[in-house]
Amino acid sequence: MTIRIVLVDDHPVVRMGLRGMLDAEPDLQVVGEAGSGAAGVELAAAERPDIVLMDLRMPDGDGVSATERILATVPGTRVMVLTTYESDRDILRAIEAGASGYLLKDATPQELADAVRAAARGETVLAPSVASTLVRQVRRPAPPALSAREAEVLRLVAQGHTNADIGKRLFISEATVKTHLLRVFNKLDVADRTAAVTTAMRHGLL
């Protein structure tokens, strides 16, 4: 069975190279190319390929949005991300959008061809560094939970208010404000107000 592939990448030279590599395989066939996310969605709907190789950052809609739209509108098509970006945020967004794989553009022709075949079989294909990132995310401890009052106090700290200002706004004593902040410092394992704010923001608590 021939695996039909659509390429979505905003660089023509990259698309040309990928087409050459994939078409050299007897069981792989590139049936179309698109230079943007929106064009990729339209092409996938028209061609209904087995696999879409999707870049992440492109004009006219990023690869994650395009992935979501393709999977919602073209049943049976699998999307594999092929990109130069491997930040935690990029990887998690792509996987959460439903991508069947995440490869980097330094993959060899054989690795790419094998990955396409694996994705077509329904397997998930990840570059080693990407797999390590996902494992690290799973193992990362859950962010500490702040009480509603602690979060309220910390939000006011983030806005630049002093303990006295916060006490007046929340109708509590300055000593109570300090108590809430000490509990926040303990939960976030920090020693000062600035670190508390930045750590809370990193964990999505503010």
Side-chain angles (χ1 to χ4, degrees):
M1 184 186 75
T2 300
I3 299 171
R4 302 172 70 252
I5 305 162
V6 160
L7 307 177
V8 185
D9 194 294
D10 59 326
H11 294 101
V13 172
V14 172
R15 297 199 305 271
M16 185 184 304
L18 289 172
R19 178 184 280 273
M21 285 190 291
L22 295 169
D23 281 346
E25 300 289 328
D27 58 335
L28 306 181
Q29 179 189 9
V30 175
V31 297
E33 302 177 19
S36 70
V41 173
E42 292 180 5
L43 183 59
E47 293 290 344
R48 299 194 170 270
D50 301 299
I51 300 291
V52 174
L53 282 181
M54 178 75 68
D55 192 12
L56 270 190
R57 302 185 189 178
M58 297 174 290
D60 192 21
D62 71 357
V64 171
S65 300
T67 296
E68 290 175 333
R69 290 171 62 193
I70 289 170
L71 295 178
T73 58
V74 191
T77 293
R78 294 179 175 275
V79 179
M80 285 181 55
V81 170
L82 182 65
T83 185
T84 56
Y85 304 102
E86 55 177 326
S87 72
D88 289 12
R89 181 174 179 273
D90 287 326
I91 294 168
L92 291 174
R93 287 181 67 227
I95 299 302
E96 287 170 355
S100 295
Y102 196 112
L103 294 180
L104 302 178
K105 288 180 179 176
D106 61 0
T108 66
Q110 192 59 55
E111 287 171 342
L112 179 59
D114 289 344
V116 168
R117 295 183 184 105
R121 293 193 299 266
E123 300 173 19
T124 299
V125 184
L126 301 173
S129 61
V130 173
S132 296
T133 295
L134 291 176
V135 169
R136 188 173 67 249
Q137 287 289 337
V138 170
R139 288 177 176 170
R140 182 175 294 171
L146 301 181
S147 70
R149 178 63 91 185
E150 288 164 354
E152 195 173 18
V153 168
L154 194 56
R155 268 192 295 273
L156 291 172
V157 169
Q159 293 168 13
H161 294 287
T162 65
N163 289 353
D165 290 337
I166 295 170
K168 290 175 184 176
R169 284 172 173 266
L170 301 181
F171 304 102
I172 56 179
S173 70
E174 190 172 345
T176 302
V177 173
K178 290 179 180 176
T179 299
H180 285 308
L181 284 175
L182 286 173
R183 288 176 181 158
V184 169
F185 293 173
N186 266 338
K187 288 182 177 181
L188 300 181
D189 193 25
V190 297
D192 58 58
R193 297 158 69 93
T194 302
V197 170
T198 55
T199 301
M201 291 179 69
R202 188 169 67 248
H203 285 304
L205 300 175
L206 287 180

